[in-house]
Amino acid sequence: MAQAPTPVITHKPVHDTIKTIKETPEQSAKVAYNKGLSNFLNKQYDSALANFNRAIAGAHKFEPAYLARANTRLREKDYTNAANDYQTTLKLDSNDEKAWYGLGQAEIILGKDSQAMLAFNHFVKKNSASGDAWYCLGELQARAKNYKDALTDFTLAIGSKPNFPEAYNDRGVCNYELGNYHAAIDDYRQSIAFAKTAATYNNLGNAESKSGNNDEAIMAFSTAITIDPKYTSEYNNRGIEYLNKKSDTNALNDFNEAIQLDSTNTDAYCNRALVEYHMNNMDKAKADCDKAIKLNPQYGIAYLDRGIIEEMMRKAKAACTNWQKAAEYGIVVANDYTKDCK
């Protein structure tokens, strides 16, 4: 007997009941933000910036994204846009201390010192133990030549962060500018105890010189030269100390080296002219003054020195012309030389 065929059972199509869940713009913004943070931590700043842009596009009031984008732009040295982002962050949350600090950093680099000072002052109100913030305030005060206020800020910086060589050095600069040379020496030595740099030894040498410690000044400048043999002002400064000790050969060698390193160093040319004058090499001395004046036509001290050299060369009229120029460019002592000029 033939077997009956198996019936074919058909079903209506079954639709998938699992639907795709769509992210809200806010959720997408958070995803992009988190990716951006990961990029930032891995120093992938271009990718971080792109993700933070996406986050902000999806959530216009997403304050952490503006802050993160500002920090990224600061790393990429896009200081103007970084400052704009920090300001937007603060409009959304005026108590965001990180934004105040970042804004201060951006503004100080942009040369907007008053805005930077305002930002750091906001920051230290709630972060008085931040040595770095006090240091930045000290830098701003020093740039404005408010050396007493800068001293206070650098002292607060050191109090919050005792191992702070830059703060000791810069406090030393303030003390130096205020004529507190012994205090400056102490600060420079404290700085050197934490970090031996050519710049700080050079500063120490200047303070020792002002204190009348000629040999100590030479030692400091010599150490600076050992650390950085290409630092031209060290040679010029040590040359002055040798000149004061009447060690003309050593002074001449240092001024030669300073000029070799920087052929536009007008101070070194004038100082070398003095050595040549002492050695009775008047033509060479005058040539150095000529060079200094060619480099800086308003360099009053060079006119004064050239006038003295011209007088020794029995060129009275030329000497008077130079002294008059020196007086014109602010060298008060030149007026004593012009008294006998006709």
Side-chain angles (χ1 to χ4, degrees):
M1 294 178 65
Q3 186 175 354
T6 303
V8 177
I9 300 172
T10 60
H11 296 278
K12 291 182 179 180
V14 177
H15 294 287
D16 185 2
T17 58
I18 301 175
K19 295 183 178 179
T20 302
I21 299 173
K22 292 184 178 179
E23 291 179 334
T24 65
E26 290 76 13
Q27 289 171 325
S28 297
K30 288 180 180 178
V31 171
Y33 171 74
N34 288 330
K35 288 181 179 178
L37 288 181
S38 178
N39 295 142
F40 183 87
L41 292 172
N42 288 305
K43 299 183 179 181
Q44 299 165 343
Y45 298 127
D46 289 342
S47 297
L49 192 60
N51 277 310
F52 294 139
N53 285 338
R54 292 189 191 99
I56 290 167
H60 297 300
K61 294 185 178 181
F62 193 0
E63 182 259 339
Y66 283 104
L67 177 62
R69 189 171 72 175
N71 290 334
T72 305
R73 285 173 162 168
L74 195 67
R75 296 297 187 281
E76 292 200 315
K77 300 183 179 180
D78 183 2
Y79 302 118
T80 299
N81 283 319
N84 291 337
D85 275 344
Y86 286 126
Q87 288 166 349
T88 301
T89 303
L90 290 165
K91 286 178 183 177
L92 294 169
D93 180 3
S94 62
N95 293 316
D96 192 319
E97 296 166 19
K98 291 180 180 178
W100 281 117
Y101 189 88
L103 178 61
Q105 287 182 300
E107 298 287 30
I108 200 171
I109 295 169
L110 290 168
K112 297 180 179 180
D113 289 2
S114 59
Q115 293 94 319
M117 197 174 294
L118 178 66
F120 285 121
N121 274 319
H122 269 284
F123 181 79
V124 295
K125 284 178 182 178
K126 293 184 179 179
N127 298 273
S128 59
S130 173
D132 290 334
W134 286 118
Y135 176 76
C136 290
L137 280 168
E139 287 290 292
L140 289 163
Q141 295 286 11
R143 271 160 57 158
K145 298 185 178 181
N146 299 326
Y147 297 118
K148 289 184 179 179
D149 290 333
L151 271 178
T152 300
D153 290 336
F154 288 134
T155 299
L156 287 166
I158 291 165
S160 300
K161 187 178 176 181
N163 300 344
F164 203 161
E166 295 86 357
Y168 279 111
N169 177 78
D170 294 357
R171 190 173 71 174
V173 171
C174 292
N175 273 315
Y176 181 91
E177 293 294 339
L178 291 167
N180 304 327
Y181 301 123
H182 293 298
I185 290 170
D186 289 341
D187 279 336
Y188 294 138
R189 291 197 180 280
Q190 284 281 1
S191 179
I192 288 166
F194 297 117
K196 294 175 172 57
T197 68
T200 304
Y201 272 107
N202 191 54
N203 289 340
L204 175 61
N206 286 325
E208 295 283 16
S209 177
K210 287 290 188 180
S211 298
N213 304 328
N214 185 262
D215 291 334
E216 288 82 354
I218 289 174
M219 287 176 61
F221 292 133
S222 297
T223 304
I225 289 168
T226 301
I227 294 171
D228 183 2
K230 302 297 182 183
Y231 193 13
T232 182
S233 65
E234 302 158 344
Y235 290 99
N236 185 64
N237 291 338
R238 190 175 69 175
I240 292 170
E241 297 305 311
Y242 281 131
L243 192 59
N244 291 335
K245 290 188 71 172
K246 303 187 186 307
S247 181
D248 289 341
T249 301
N250 286 328
L252 186 62
N253 289 338
D254 275 349
F255 296 137
N256 285 340
E257 190 64 35
I259 291 167
Q260 181 69 29
L261 290 169
D262 180 8
S263 61
T264 66
N265 190 327
T266 54
D267 290 341
Y269 281 111
C270 270
N271 290 331
R272 190 170 70 177
L274 288 175
V275 179
E276 297 288 5
Y277 173 82
H278 289 164
M279 301 175 90
N280 205 34
N281 298 327
M282 297 302 168
D283 289 333
K284 288 183 178 180
K286 180 180 177 300
D288 276 341
C289 289
D290 292 343
K291 181 66 175 179
I293 290 167
K294 185 176 180 181
L295 289 167
N296 180 5
Q298 297 183 357
Y299 191 21
I301 197 70
Y303 287 104
L304 177 68
D305 290 346
R306 190 167 70 176
I308 294 169
I309 294 163
E310 296 275 20
E311 184 184 44
M312 290 298 295
M313 297 173 77
R314 298 184 180 180
K315 298 178 180 180
K317 187 175 180 179
C320 283
T321 299
N322 278 286
W323 292 331
Q324 288 162 354
K325 275 284 186 184
E328 179 184 337
Y329 293 126
I331 307 301
V332 177
V333 71
N335 292 312
D336 295 333
Y337 289 86
T338 60
K339 288 178 181 178
D340 297 327
C341 293
K342 295 180 181 180

